[in-house]
Amino acid sequence: MHKPELTLVGAGLVGALLATLLAQRGFRVTVFERRPDPRQAGFVGGRSINLALAERGWHGLRTARLQQRLQPIAVMMRGRMVHALDGATNLQRYGRDDSEVIWSVNRGSLNIALLDAAEEAGAQIHFGQRLDHVDWNDERLHFVDDASGARREHVAAHVLGTDGAGSALRTAMATQIDLGERFEPLGHSYKELEIPALPDFDPAALPPALRSARERGERFAMEPNALHIWPRGGYMCIALPNAEGSFTVTLFLPNAGDPSFATLTDAAAVRAFFARDFADAVPLMPGYVEDFFGNPTGMLGTLYLERWHLDQRALLLGDAAHAIVPFHGQGMNCGFEDAVELAGLLKHGTADLADVFAQFQQRRKPNADAIAAMAVENYVEMRDRVDDADFLLMRALERELAARHPGRFVPRYWMVTFSRLPYATAFARGEVQAGILREATRGKRSLAEVDLGAADALVRERLQPLEP
Ligand SMILES: Cc1cc2nc3c(=O)[nH]c(=O)nc-3n(C[C@H](O)[C@H](O)[C@H](O)COP(=O)(O)OP(=O)(O)OC[C@H]3O[C@@H](n4cnc5c(N)ncnc54)[C@H](O)[C@@H]3O)c2cc1C
């Protein structure tokens, strides 16, 4: 079978996995990455320090035979630990048991493991090479080394763009065709803060219970096996555990209004805001004011494109094609699915790459659109609803119906997170299920009041069993 050389731009999470999969399948793979090699220079993130890895992501890693290498650095998260304003906490399990969980992984460690794997499989990666522009007529990519200013060219008949949300390849493609690009800003941004590992605390600054935990050799200042959420209506904080004992905290907040990034302009305002809204977290974040002003404010939004490829010459994948907001923890997971899908399509022949690229877009775009919509919806759920009585009743009924109708009524979160059902299917079935839950719980205050027989009938009437 003809196996053309494939050139990738961007060796982030999706690019490094795709390079691994393609090289493992015998393609000659050349990758150009803007940043220096993180194995020598240290990882320069610019994005979230850790990420939630779910079934779709694990499937990508398993396909590349990397699960065993990565499992030891992943921290299990069984559910949401909801922190109320008064400091009370409540764990809402994500799934039925510990087989239905998500995992927190460090972005740098994951990226480095993927780069190692790509090179072991035979991919050639050139670091410090930023794509500047493309001469489409003579199939020439132009790169700049930002550290030295050196320029370099590379001739490539087929380019895969895994260069993230601000993709330079996308800009270059847009000089040739209208990609139908649209960016919808969320109007909210994020800021990363840190809860250090217990051994890194000054013991005198710790509350007595945590001081004893530290003395016992414990590493985590909060429950490690959970994704912590402080829902506060229009905004929220979340925290994901890191394997060495710290937590990365992310504040999501509107850009304008009160409170917002526009009002938190000095240390006194930041302290007052955290003391009011996140009082139980403040003693755990000794450096939060410095972090707030030292760390960048990250912008959030959704990128939609109508076209992801330029005939057989170029294809966009991952965030370069469909950046989404992070509230379902699925951006990377979705990008890993892209990588598996493209590697699978290329297995069936590469004679007509334009056709392969078109098929890829046809199969993936409805799913990317669906997870984009669900991710925005999940922001409202996380920041505003997880502590509502009606929300909790609907979740309780959802679990009940899932137990009564296995394979037919499957909560949307489970379909997105624990399965590899197409996102578009999860979205469509989720809408039907939400209608059933709304109808069955209308005017009810507890599960005991719900007419389960009537709910069963709605399930049977409106939902076909899922294919096994
Ligand atoms: C706050 C936050 C939290 C998130 N949490 C999660 C989560 O929990 N779970 C999840 O699944 N997803 C999460 N995501 C989404 C996830 O980060 C992205 O979907 C994922 O990083 C996309 O991978 P990528 O390889 O497509 O792009 P990127 O990770 O952005 O990688 C792009 C690569 O291309 C390189 N590059 C850029 N421009 C050029 C150029 N001109 N030339 C050469 N190289 C270039 C970059 O240096 C980088 O290495 C989160 C995102 C954010 C912002």
Side-chain angles (χ1 to χ4, degrees), residues 12 23 35 51 110 121 150 163 173 186 201 221-222 251 263 265 281 355 365 370-371 390 396 410 413 450 463:
R35 294 172 305 184
L51 305 114
L110 178 57
D163 51 345
M173 288 162 68
L186 183 69
F201 271 90
M222 302 187 295
L251 166 68
T263 60
T265 49
D355 185 50
K365 189 167 154 36
I371 189 59
D390 63 337
V410 182
Y413 187 87
V450 172
L463 290 165

Side-chain angles (χ1 to χ4, degrees), residues 48-372:
S48 61
I49 289 166
N50 52 22
L51 305 114
L53 183 60
E55 175 53 23
R56 294 166 204 269
W58 279 119
H59 177 72
L61 297 173
R62 279 196 293 272
T63 309
R65 302 190 290 277
L66 286 172
Q67 178 166 21
Q68 286 190 347
R69 205 184 289 188
L70 289 163
Q71 192 73 63
I73 64 161
V75 184
M76 181 201 282
M77 297 186 289
R78 291 193 171 92
R80 299 165 166 165
M81 183 69 83
V82 178
H83 294 245
L85 203 51
D86 64 4
T89 54
N90 168 33
L91 180 72
Q92 298 175 6
R93 241 192 194 283
Y94 285 130
R96 280 167 287 206
D97 55 38
D98 281 358
S99 68
E100 294 179 332
V101 295
I102 54 176
W103 300 82
S104 175
V105 282
N106 177 276
R107 183 186 291 267
S109 309
L110 178 57
N111 209 156
I112 285 172
L114 289 168
L115 293 173
D116 285 344
E119 286 182 341
E120 282 163 25
Q124 281 220 335
I125 311 179
H126 304 281
F127 293 94
Q129 300 292 318
R130 175 175 58 78
L131 178 70
D132 186 54
H133 65 279
V134 180
D135 273 340
W136 294 105
N137 291 335
D138 59 1
E139 299 179 340
R140 212 169 280 266
L141 308 179
H142 295 259
F143 294 95
V144 180
D145 178 340
D146 285 324
S148 67
R151 293 185 164 268
R152 165 188 194 148
E153 293 174 14
H154 176 78
V155 174
H158 315 293
V159 195
L160 304 174
T162 47
D163 51 345
S167 171
L169 185 66
R170 194 175 69 231
T171 305
M173 288 162 68
T175 63
Q176 304 298 300
I177 50 164
D178 178 6
L179 296 172
E181 180 172 339
R182 183 164 57 88
F183 181 74
E184 272 182 18
L186 183 69
H188 294 227
S189 299
Y190 70 95
K191 182 77 82 175
E192 288 196 339
L193 311 168
E194 195 201 11
I195 294 178
L198 279 180
D200 296 335
F201 271 90
D202 170 3
L206 279 172
L210 285 179
R211 205 175 311 149
S212 341
R214 186 179 182 278
E215 279 158 17
R216 286 196 301 275
E218 288 179 24
R219 289 175 299 143
F220 290 92
M222 302 187 295
E223 164 59 46
N225 295 119
L227 189 156
H228 293 259
I229 309 190
W230 291 257
R232 296 295 181 260
Y235 49 95
M236 67 175 181
C237 272
I238 65 168
L240 272 70
N242 296 308
E244 92 292 352
S246 64
F247 289 83
T248 303
V249 178
T250 312
L251 166 68
F252 295 96
L253 188 68
N255 298 334
D258 190 16
S260 72
F261 279 108
T263 60
L264 299 182
T265 49
D266 59 49
V270 171
R271 280 204 192 89
F273 171 64
F274 275 84
R276 188 192 69 195
D277 279 317
F278 307 108
D280 63 327
V282 168
L284 309 180
M285 300 190 295
Y288 78 99
V289 178
E290 292 75 22
D291 285 349
F292 190 92
F293 291 106
N295 291 344
T297 307
M299 216 243 292
L300 295 168
T302 309
L303 169 75
Y304 299 94
L305 299 184
E306 269 154 40
R307 270 167 296 284
W308 291 359
H309 75 108
L310 173 61
D311 47 57
Q312 78 294 346
R313 286 177 286 175
L315 172 71
L316 300 169
L317 302 93
D319 276 18
H322 48 72
I324 60 176
V325 295
F327 303 108
H328 226 305
Q330 285 290 318
M332 164 193 64
N333 286 282
C334 178
F336 281 9
E337 260 194 344
D338 283 359
V340 173
E341 181 90 41
L342 183 65
L345 284 172
L346 287 171
K347 202 169 64 188
H348 301 302
T350 52
D352 186 351
L353 264 189
D355 185 50
V356 169
F357 291 176
Q359 273 191 56
F360 174 83
Q361 173 182 328
Q362 195 193 8
R363 294 165 80 113
R364 292 301 296 158
K365 189 167 154 36
N367 293 312
D369 289 343
I371 189 59

